[in-house]
Structures are given as structure tokens and as C-alpha cells.
Amino acid sequence: MQQALALCYGMAGERGEVVAALARALEIRAVLVNPSDYEETLDALCGLAPRSGITHAGEALPGEMMVMAHFPKGLLNRFLDSFHESGTAPVPLKAMRTPNNGVWNALRLFDELSQEYEFFRRMQEQAGE
């Protein structure tokens, strides 16, 4: 079985160190993804496919995103709970790596998750929460 992995985007400096420490405490390997790797597929960054070698020359993502892979049952909840328990702000955009999104790169996933996040934010707003 492969080690649990968290791809962390847009988490430089102290924020990245804190998230990586939370991951290490649960034996999750945290990878702080460099903007130059944004064109690589999630599968390539998870070691499930070869890297393309294409370097992203654009800007960094405008926010944080985390992709989790190879999480056994129960680990996701423990990992997310560790943010709350430690007083660490949650990562707003997060996803599990799936066969469908594994072929996407960071830019496409960020766009998809941002749209989803905004949809649910509007739904909560309309519900008066």
C-alpha cells in the first residue's frame, strides 16, 4: 500500500510548515507543490504516472488547495480534525485524488474546486446560514 500523501498548493513559508507538521504527525507525506509543477497531472505528482516535464510559467494559484491521495479509511477525518484541534485554519479548497481528477493539473482542479466552493457558499448565503 502506498503512503498517504497530501499535495499542498499555495502554502509557502510558515503555513506550509504547519500543514506539513500536521501531516507528518499522522504519517502523511506532505508535498509543497512549486508553481513550476502546476502543469503536471495530479497522478504524476502522486507518483502514479510519468511527469510531462512541462514547466508552468504563469502565476501561482490565487489561494490554497490540497489534494489527498492513498488515504486509508478514517485518516481523512483524523487529518481534517487535526486542523481544528490545533487551531490551524482549514484549507478551503481540498479534494481526494480520484481516477477522474488524477489526469487533471492544478489549474483545472483549482478552477473546478473554486466554482464548487462558490456554489456552496451562495447556497448557504441563500439559506440564511
Side-chain angles (χ1 to χ4, degrees):
M1 181 175 192
Q2 294 188 324
Q3 181 180 8
L5 171 72
L7 301 175
C8 303
Y9 297 85
M11 295 184 213
E14 184 179 338
R15 173 70 167 165
E17 292 171 17
V18 168
V19 171
L22 292 174
R24 275 192 307 274
L26 294 170
E27 299 182 4
I28 299 166
R29 183 169 62 101
V31 176
L32 303 177
V33 180
N34 291 318
S36 62
D37 287 329
Y38 288 177
E39 298 289 343
E40 296 290 349
T41 65
L42 303 178
D43 282 351
L45 294 175
C46 289
L48 300 171
R51 286 178 166 258
S52 68
I54 299 170
T55 301
H56 177 69
E59 298 291 319
L61 295 174
E64 295 179 343
M65 178 174 72
M66 185 166 54
V67 178
M68 294 152 288
H70 317 302
F71 275 47
K73 185 175 181 172
L75 184 58
L76 175 62
N77 286 338
R78 289 196 332 259
F79 185 41
L80 298 179
D81 288 347
S82 73
F83 281 75
H84 177 71
E85 291 164 2
S86 68
T88 302
V91 178
L93 303 181
K94 49 194 161 293
M96 293 297 294
R97 181 246 158 231
T98 68
N100 289 335
N101 68 19
V103 297
W104 297 356
N105 66 25
L107 305 170
R108 176 157 182 207
L109 183 61
F110 188 88
D111 184 55
E112 294 285 334
L113 291 177
S114 295
Q115 289 178 40
E116 191 175 285
Y117 182 84
E118 185 59 26
F119 172 80
F120 285 111
R121 187 195 64 73
R122 282 194 313 266
M123 293 296 289
Q124 285 181 334
E125 201 173 82
Q126 290 175 357
E129 293 181 10

